[in-house]
Amino acid sequence: MPIVAATKESISRAAEALARGEIVAFPTETVYGLGANALDASAVAEVFAAKARPRFNPLIVPVLGLEEAESYAAVNETTRKLIRAFWPGPLSLVLPRKPGCMIADLVSAGLDTIALRAPNHPVARALLEAAKLPIAAPSANRSGRISPTTAAHVEAELGNLPAMILDGGPCALGLESTVLGIDGSDVTLLRLGTLPREDIEKVLGCKLTKPKAG
């Protein structure tokens, strides 16, 4: 059985599994994520395979906060304003990738952007700290199916595909993060999730734009 209680020891073992190129499921405040070493294209490919996810669909990379985000992406004042207001929390930001960013191109589906989020869950944050490497982590379910909010949901969906499923109990929010795309001062709502649109617009002082058709 791949489900293990999320303890300091099991989180350390999960970090070691990630370093070996294995995939690991873990809780966040939104839904359970399926993580892989974001520097290792082969490990990232295992996530796509486990989820039966099209490779043109980018993955979100969880980070601890602004400092780590700045090592992977170009962060402007609009981005900093959103990070100050909502991180850690259920907001993902699609930002321009920094030149020389070491994260595997497959994570970004070959695009010149990267999606980042700082989770607000003690197990997710402990795993990021223990791994000492960037993790690519979409929801731990097969594509097109309901995102898991318990370790048992993950096991029912993915069986033994993850090397380990860290059980941190039910997710507090149970709905995916809201996703924004940032291009200069232009902020586009790419996916409405847990964080309400109105809260974001209040912080920005303007209306969000919708994605352009096509």
Side-chain angles (χ1 to χ4, degrees):
M1 296 279 287
I3 295 178
V4 296
T7 63
K8 184 175 180 179
E9 190 271 338
S10 64
I11 290 169
S12 177
R13 287 194 287 117
E16 292 167 0
L18 289 168
R20 291 194 300 269
E22 296 177 304
I23 58 177
V24 170
F26 60 94
T28 76
E29 77 278 19
T30 55
V31 299
Y32 272 71
L34 184 64
N37 179 354
L39 304 175
D40 182 346
S42 296
V44 174
E46 290 292 326
V47 169
F48 279 95
K51 286 177 60 67
R53 182 184 179 102
R55 291 197 178 196
F56 59 75
N57 194 350
L59 308 180
I60 293 173
V61 176
V63 295
L64 288 168
L66 173 61
E67 184 178 355
E68 188 178 356
E70 288 180 319
S71 66
Y72 308 135
V75 175
N76 63 17
E77 188 51 42
T78 299
T79 305
R80 289 189 185 91
K81 186 183 293 186
L82 290 165
I83 287 174
R84 285 194 296 267
F86 300 116
W87 277 15
L91 177 66
S92 297
L93 301 172
V94 179
L95 307 171
R97 277 177 70 121
K98 265 193 170 178
C101 175
M102 298 297 290
I103 288 175
D105 287 344
L106 182 57
V107 173
S108 299
L111 302 174
D112 58 3
T113 54
I114 187 165
L116 305 174
R117 178 170 96 84
N120 188 18
H121 192 289
V123 174
R125 297 185 69 81
L127 180 59
L128 290 170
E129 290 173 353
K132 295 181 173 58
L133 50 80
I135 300 172
S139 56
N141 57 282
R142 297 190 185 277
S143 289
R145 293 176 60 84
I146 296 172
S147 298
T149 57
T150 68
H153 292 163
V154 179
E155 186 178 50
E157 274 284 293
L158 302 178
N160 291 316
L161 290 175
M164 187 183 298
I165 301 170
L166 291 171
D167 188 354
C171 298
L173 299 178
L175 180 66
E176 290 90 344
S177 62
T178 295
V179 182
L180 302 179
I182 300 180
D183 183 7
S185 61
D186 187 34
V187 182
T188 303
L189 179 62
L190 300 177
R191 180 181 76 190
L192 186 60
T194 302
L195 187 62
R197 177 185 191 133
E198 296 74 21
D199 290 4
I200 299 166
E201 291 177 340
K202 185 176 180 180
V203 167
L204 292 175
C206 64
K207 296 290 186 182
L208 295 173
T209 60
K210 295 179 181 178
K212 295 175 182 177

